[in-house]
Amino acid sequence: IRQRTEMALADREKELSRILENNPAGIMLVDADSRKISWANSNAIKLIGSAKDVIENQVCHKHLCPAEIGNCPILDGGQNFDLSERVLLTSGGSRLPILKSVSRVNYNGKEHLLEAFFDISDRKKMERDLQQAHAELNQIFQTASVAMRLVDSNFKVLKVNNTFERLSGVDETDAIGKKCHEIFSGPTCFTEECPIHRIINGMETVESYVDKERPDGKSIPCILTATPFVGSEGDIIGVVESFRDITDLKMAQDAIASERDKLERILSHLHEGVSIISDDRLVEYQNLIFSDYFGHCEGKTCHATIHGEPQPCEPCLMKAAVETGRIQQAEFEAPDGRSFEKAYTPVMDVDDQQKVVALWRDVTDKKSATAAIMRAEQLAALGELAAGVAHEINNPINGIINYAQILVNKTEEGNYVHDIAARLIKEGDRIAR
């Protein structure tokens, strides 16, 4: 019975040795009194990088563990079990991160420490990479030029970046845990148009213009973009909102609109028709005077609406203005008899396209008045000429009549000279009249 018991114990010890030897973990037995390594399996030897005979009978903390005497959780701390992340000193001097489990056991009649450890280098590297990625992501989030906040499905703020703090005037500590509408509200809050509500209900992206109100009452015009924040299982656990402050842009737009309205008022009160024509001869703009002249022409070609021609005019003043870069001027007689003076001025549009500003002035009345003045001047000149001619003729006629009268006075009726002189007087009076 004793022999069978001893044989069973020997088989059990061999089986246990095989289990320990083939265990995927590195396993060592350390004498609790001397702190020397009594036994190590092949995986422990492989991790340490030394031969088995070199490792065994060596003090553990001098060759394997960088902890000095007094820092061992089992032997110095009085614990029966310890599981912690430690460092293993390899034979090459490198420090290998391990997860080590230590417990008290009885081996060969003496108390030992059973140490089992796994190499966690890959895990630690993954953790470092994850921490670095998280740090980089957090740095990107915090230094983003747009204000961003993370809101959960219950409208509670989970995270904000530095730009959001500056934009909303709310510190991160005051913002986290608050409802989103409590720190940066807008007209869509509590409505079906709420971007968070729309994202949670299935929309992938929501982008809109909105005036957000800060807690101090200041209104900020923003372009809001909302996207879903998806969890590891693909479910939506929140919404990421970004806010781009467009205060300067809105002020610029208002200034541009004001200048545009001012220019529109100036152009509408001009006495000339104004139009802008693109390089493909399409009328892009016309003021009221131009509309009175030719009707609605925007989107139509100038030669069709103004000249009534299906083909471009020859020569084309607009083309000449663009090619030469100089103002082209001419007169135009409309089919209805009106007369116009036109001038084409080349300009460069904001999109770097060559266009012309065409000015049209109705000179029909002016030409009529000019023609009337010219006719009056011609008649006046003709009257002066007639008066001069009459004067020059009347003077010698008066002399002829006077001399004829003398002859009449000196002769008697029936006398031949008397009759000729009387006839001279009669004809002279007719010339004078």
Side-chain angles (χ1 to χ4, degrees):
I1 292 172
R2 189 187 68 183
Q3 287 179 351
R4 287 197 300 268
T5 303
E6 290 176 351
M7 291 178 61
L9 290 174
D11 292 339
R12 182 70 180 273
E13 185 176 351
K14 290 180 182 179
E15 182 180 359
L16 181 60
S17 297
R18 287 194 300 270
I19 292 174
L20 295 177
E21 178 65 28
N22 296 318
N23 197 291
I27 298 178
M28 293 190 302
L29 289 170
V30 179
D31 191 314
D33 294 330
S34 64
R35 305 195 185 211
K36 291 183 179 180
I37 300 172
S38 300
W39 180 86
N41 72 350
S42 57
N43 283 329
I45 299 300
K46 182 178 179 181
L47 290 175
I48 296 169
S50 297
K52 187 179 182 68
D53 54 354
V54 175
I55 295 299
E56 293 179 352
N57 294 321
Q58 299 294 327
V59 178
C60 61
H61 65 265
K62 290 184 177 179
H63 294 273
L64 302 179
C65 180
E68 298 294 337
I69 295 178
N71 295 326
C72 179
I74 302 296
L75 299 179
D76 301 321
Q79 300 181 14
N80 292 322
F81 177 79
D82 178 66
L83 178 64
S84 60
E85 292 185 5
R86 315 288 286 181
V87 175
L88 181 69
L89 294 178
T90 66
S91 60
S94 61
R95 299 164 67 91
L96 187 69
I98 58 173
L99 178 64
K100 185 164 70 171
S101 170
V102 183
S103 59
R104 296 176 183 269
V105 296
N106 192 355
Y107 177 69
N108 290 336
K110 297 183 65 176
E111 186 181 30
H112 281 71
L113 302 182
L114 177 63
E115 299 187 1
F117 47 87
F118 288 93
D119 181 7
I120 59 173
S121 301
D122 292 339
R123 196 193 78 181
K124 298 297 287 186
K125 182 178 182 302
M126 187 180 301
E127 289 177 354
R128 289 193 300 270
D129 293 342
L130 185 60
Q131 290 176 354
Q132 182 178 359
H134 179 73
E136 292 175 352
L137 182 61
N138 187 65
Q139 183 177 8
I140 293 173
F141 178 78
Q142 292 296 340
T143 59
S145 60
V146 295
M148 302 176 69
R149 69 179 177 185
L150 176 61
V151 183
D152 66 12
S153 57
N154 294 320
F155 304 94
K156 185 178 294 185
V157 178
L158 303 178
K159 189 177 182 65
V160 300
N161 67 350
N162 296 333
T163 309
F164 183 87
E165 290 181 309
R166 294 191 297 269
L167 181 65
S168 64
V170 180
D171 293 335
E172 182 180 12
T173 55
D174 296 331
I176 293 178
K178 299 285 184 64
K179 295 291 185 179
C180 57
H181 56 80
E182 292 178 340
I183 58 173
F184 209 44
S185 62
T188 59
C189 295
F190 306 106
T191 69
E192 295 295 327
E193 296 301 317
C194 170
I196 299 176
H197 179 77
R198 295 169 68 184
I199 291 295
I200 293 176
N201 286 337
M203 293 193 66
E204 295 184 357
T205 303
V206 175
E207 184 170 339
S208 61
Y209 167 83
V210 62
D211 289 319
K212 303 296 286 186
E213 185 175 348
R214 295 172 21 143
D216 59 7
K218 183 179 179 181
S219 180
I220 306 293
C222 300
I223 296 296
L224 183 151
T225 303
T227 54
F229 185 71
V230 182
S232 58
E233 298 182 358
D235 55 329
I236 297 177
I237 60 177
V239 178
V240 178
E241 288 185 307
S242 64
F243 305 90
R244 183 160 59 92
D245 184 2
I246 59 170
T247 302
D248 295 339
L249 177 61
K250 193 170 185 300
M251 291 176 61
Q253 288 178 338
D254 292 341
I256 292 173
S258 176
E259 292 297 324
R260 183 181 63 245
D261 294 341
K262 185 187 299 182
L263 179 61
E264 182 69 27
R265 290 193 297 269
I266 292 173
L267 293 178
S268 64
H269 286 82
L270 288 177
H271 294 291
E272 291 86 7
V274 180
S275 63
I276 298 177
I277 305 175
S278 64
D279 57 355
D280 52 0
R281 298 181 175 86
L282 289 178
V283 178
E284 294 185 349
Y285 169 82
Q286 63 184 63
N287 68 350
L288 295 177
I289 303 299
F290 189 89
S291 301
D292 293 339
Y293 289 165
F294 306 106
H296 181 72
C297 301
E298 291 184 5
K300 303 175 184 178
T301 58
C302 56
H303 53 80
T305 55
I306 299 174
H307 301 276
E309 297 291 340
Q311 299 298 326
C313 307
E314 288 296 339
C316 179
L317 294 184
M318 180 212 153
K319 182 178 179 182
V322 171
E323 291 178 350
T324 62
R326 297 180 179 179
I327 299 175
Q328 303 294 319
Q329 296 178 326
E331 291 188 358
F332 169 66
E333 296 292 335
D336 58 2
R338 291 179 298 171
S339 299
F340 294 93
E341 290 179 350
K342 58 181 180 179
Y344 290 84
T345 303
V347 295
M348 183 71 72
D349 205 349
V350 291
D351 53 3
D352 294 332
Q353 290 188 356
Q354 285 282 357
K355 299 179 181 179
V356 295
V357 176
L359 296 179
W360 293 76
R361 179 179 297 174
D362 188 350
V363 294
T364 305
D365 295 338
K366 178 181 175 182
K367 291 188 70 174
S368 298
T370 302
I373 292 173
M374 292 177 62
R375 181 170 179 80
E377 291 176 351
Q378 291 173 350
L379 292 175
L382 183 60
E384 292 178 359
L385 176 62
V389 171
H391 180 72
E392 293 300 326
I393 293 176
N394 206 35
N395 285 338
I397 287 298
N398 286 331
I400 294 173
I401 292 174
N402 291 334
Y403 283 116
Q405 187 64 49
I406 293 174
L407 292 176
V408 169
N409 292 336
K410 289 184 176 182
T411 58
E412 296 178 357
E413 291 186 9
N415 185 281
Y416 175 72
V417 175
H418 183 89
D419 293 339
I420 292 177
R423 188 176 297 175
L424 288 174
I425 294 172
K426 179 181 178 181
E427 295 300 328
D429 289 337
R430 189 166 67 87
I431 294 175
R433 286 194 302 271

